[in-house]
Amino acid sequence: MSLSEAARTVRDNAYAPYSNFKVGAALRAASGGIFIGCNVENVAYPEGTCAEAGAIAAMVAAGETELLEVYVIADSPDPVTPCGGCRQKLAEFGARDVKVTMATTAGSETTLTLAELLPGAFSQSHMDNT
Protein backbone atom coordinates (compact mmCIF):
# COMPACT_ATOMS: atom_id res chain seq x y z
CA MET A 1 0.00 0.00 0.00
CA SER A 2 1.31 3.48 -0.85
CA LEU A 3 1.55 6.32 1.65
CA SER A 4 -1.27 8.17 -0.11
CA GLU A 5 -3.56 5.12 0.05
CA ALA A 6 -2.74 4.53 3.71
CA ALA A 7 -3.40 8.17 4.65
CA ARG A 8 -6.61 8.30 2.61
CA THR A 9 -7.88 5.10 4.26
CA VAL A 10 -7.07 6.07 7.84
CA ARG A 11 -8.62 9.52 7.34
CA ASP A 12 -12.00 7.80 7.24
CA ASN A 13 -11.43 6.68 10.85
CA ALA A 14 -10.78 10.20 12.19
CA TYR A 15 -12.89 11.21 15.17
CA ALA A 16 -13.91 14.78 14.34
CA PRO A 17 -17.47 15.33 15.63
CA TYR A 18 -16.84 19.00 16.51
CA SER A 19 -15.00 20.36 13.48
CA ASN A 20 -15.97 17.69 10.93
CA PHE A 21 -12.42 18.20 9.59
CA LYS A 22 -10.93 14.73 9.16
CA VAL A 23 -7.19 14.37 8.59
CA GLY A 24 -5.17 11.27 7.77
CA ALA A 25 -1.40 10.88 7.94
CA ALA A 26 0.98 8.15 6.89
CA LEU A 27 4.73 8.01 7.25
CA ARG A 28 7.41 5.68 6.03
CA ALA A 29 10.00 4.72 8.62
CA ALA A 30 13.63 3.83 7.94
CA SER A 31 12.69 0.13 7.92
CA GLY A 32 10.24 0.76 5.09
CA GLY A 33 7.28 0.20 7.40
CA ILE A 34 4.26 2.48 7.04
CA PHE A 35 2.63 3.97 10.12
CA ILE A 36 -0.70 5.77 10.12
CA GLY A 37 -2.64 8.19 12.27
CA CYS A 38 -5.82 10.23 12.17
CA ASN A 39 -6.98 13.23 14.13
CA VAL A 40 -8.92 12.53 17.33
CA GLU A 41 -10.88 15.48 18.71
CA ASN A 42 -12.02 16.00 22.28
CA VAL A 43 -14.78 18.22 23.56
CA ALA A 44 -12.23 19.71 25.97
CA TYR A 45 -10.15 21.70 23.46
CA PRO A 46 -7.15 21.47 22.93
CA GLU A 47 -6.95 17.92 24.22
CA GLY A 48 -7.28 16.31 20.79
CA THR A 49 -4.52 14.62 18.83
CA CYS A 50 -3.34 15.49 15.33
CA ALA A 51 -3.05 12.82 12.64
CA GLU A 52 0.71 13.35 12.31
CA ALA A 53 1.22 12.91 16.06
CA GLY A 54 -0.77 9.68 15.97
CA ALA A 55 1.35 8.28 13.14
CA ILE A 56 4.55 9.24 14.98
CA ALA A 57 3.29 7.57 18.17
CA ALA A 58 2.52 4.38 16.24
CA MET A 59 6.02 4.43 14.70
CA VAL A 60 7.72 4.91 18.07
CA ALA A 61 5.49 2.27 19.70
CA ALA A 62 6.75 -0.16 17.05
CA GLY A 63 10.36 0.62 18.05
CA GLU A 64 11.24 2.94 15.18
CA THR A 65 12.65 6.44 15.54
CA GLU A 66 13.47 7.62 12.02
CA LEU A 67 10.99 8.71 9.37
CA LEU A 68 11.81 9.04 5.69
CA GLU A 69 8.62 10.36 4.10
CA VAL A 70 5.27 11.81 5.18
CA TYR A 71 1.84 12.11 3.51
CA VAL A 72 -1.05 14.14 4.99
CA ILE A 73 -4.54 14.41 3.52
CA ALA A 74 -7.64 16.44 4.37
CA ASP A 75 -10.87 17.50 2.68
CA SER A 76 -9.88 21.10 2.07
CA PRO A 77 -9.78 23.44 -0.93
CA ASP A 78 -5.98 23.57 -0.68
CA PRO A 79 -3.46 21.11 0.79
CA VAL A 80 -3.19 21.63 4.55
CA THR A 81 0.23 21.87 6.17
CA PRO A 82 0.92 20.22 9.52
CA CYS A 83 0.39 22.53 12.48
CA GLY A 84 3.43 24.09 14.14
CA GLY A 85 3.55 21.48 16.89
CA CYS A 86 3.45 18.63 14.39
CA ARG A 87 6.15 20.25 12.30
CA GLN A 88 8.40 20.16 15.36
CA LYS A 89 7.38 16.56 16.10
CA LEU A 90 8.19 15.53 12.52
CA ALA A 91 11.55 17.33 12.76
CA GLU A 92 12.36 15.28 15.87
CA PHE A 93 12.32 12.08 13.81
CA GLY A 94 13.12 13.20 10.26
CA ALA A 95 16.07 14.83 8.52
CA ARG A 96 15.71 18.30 7.04
CA ASP A 97 15.36 16.88 3.52
CA VAL A 98 12.45 14.55 4.37
CA LYS A 99 9.60 15.19 1.95
CA VAL A 100 6.15 15.99 3.34
CA THR A 101 3.35 15.69 0.80
CA MET A 102 0.15 17.52 1.71
CA ALA A 103 -2.96 16.55 -0.26
CA THR A 104 -6.64 17.22 -0.65
CA THR A 105 -9.26 14.53 -1.10
CA ALA A 106 -9.87 16.03 -4.57
CA GLY A 107 -6.32 15.13 -5.62
CA SER A 108 -4.32 18.36 -5.29
CA GLU A 109 -0.86 17.85 -3.78
CA THR A 110 1.99 20.04 -2.56
CA THR A 111 5.34 18.64 -1.43
CA LEU A 112 7.81 20.48 0.80
CA THR A 113 10.79 19.35 2.85
CA LEU A 114 10.81 19.51 6.64
CA ALA A 115 13.35 22.35 6.34
CA GLU A 116 10.92 24.32 4.18
CA LEU A 117 8.06 23.66 6.60
CA LEU A 118 10.09 24.50 9.70
CA PRO A 119 13.14 26.65 9.00
CA GLY A 120 15.26 27.11 12.08
CA ALA A 121 13.79 24.04 13.81
CA PHE A 122 14.72 23.64 17.47
CA SER A 123 17.06 20.65 17.75
CA GLN A 124 19.35 18.76 20.09
CA SER A 125 22.21 21.00 18.96
CA HIS A 126 20.54 23.92 20.73
CA MET A 127 20.93 22.06 24.01
CA ASP A 128 24.61 21.17 23.62
CA ASN A 129 26.90 22.76 26.18
CA THR A 130 30.17 23.42 24.42
Side-chain angles (χ1 to χ4, degrees):
M1 178 178 283
S2 70
L3 284 183
S4 63
E5 291 170 322
R8 193 173 288 274
T9 299
V10 75
R11 181 188 163 276
D12 292 336
N13 295 337
Y15 179 75
Y18 309 106
S19 71
N20 294 313
F21 190 74
K22 293 183 172 192
V23 181
L27 57 85
R28 186 177 319 281
S31 69
I34 294 176
F35 297 92
I36 56 174
C38 58
N39 59 317
V40 179
E41 294 181 348
N42 190 293
V43 69
Y45 285 116
E47 296 303 316
T49 305
C50 295
E52 300 91 335
I56 290 167
M59 178 186 75
V60 172
E64 305 235 20
T65 57
E66 181 183 1
L67 62 88
L68 301 180
E69 187 180 2
V70 181
Y71 194 97
V72 181
I73 188 167
D75 185 12
S76 177
D78 297 307
V80 176
T81 61
C83 72
C86 284
R87 292 176 197 204
Q88 184 64 48
K89 288 175 181 76
L90 291 167
E92 180 73 17
F93 298 100
R96 296 179 48 77
D97 63 348
V98 164
K99 290 185 181 349
V100 180
T101 300
M102 297 143 292
T104 69
T105 55
S108 178
E109 292 185 351
T110 299
T111 301
L112 298 171
T113 64
L114 281 176
E116 291 170 318
L117 281 170
L118 188 62
F122 185 77
S123 70
Q124 178 67 38
S125 68
H126 291 101
M127 298 173 61
D128 291 342
N129 289 329
T130 54

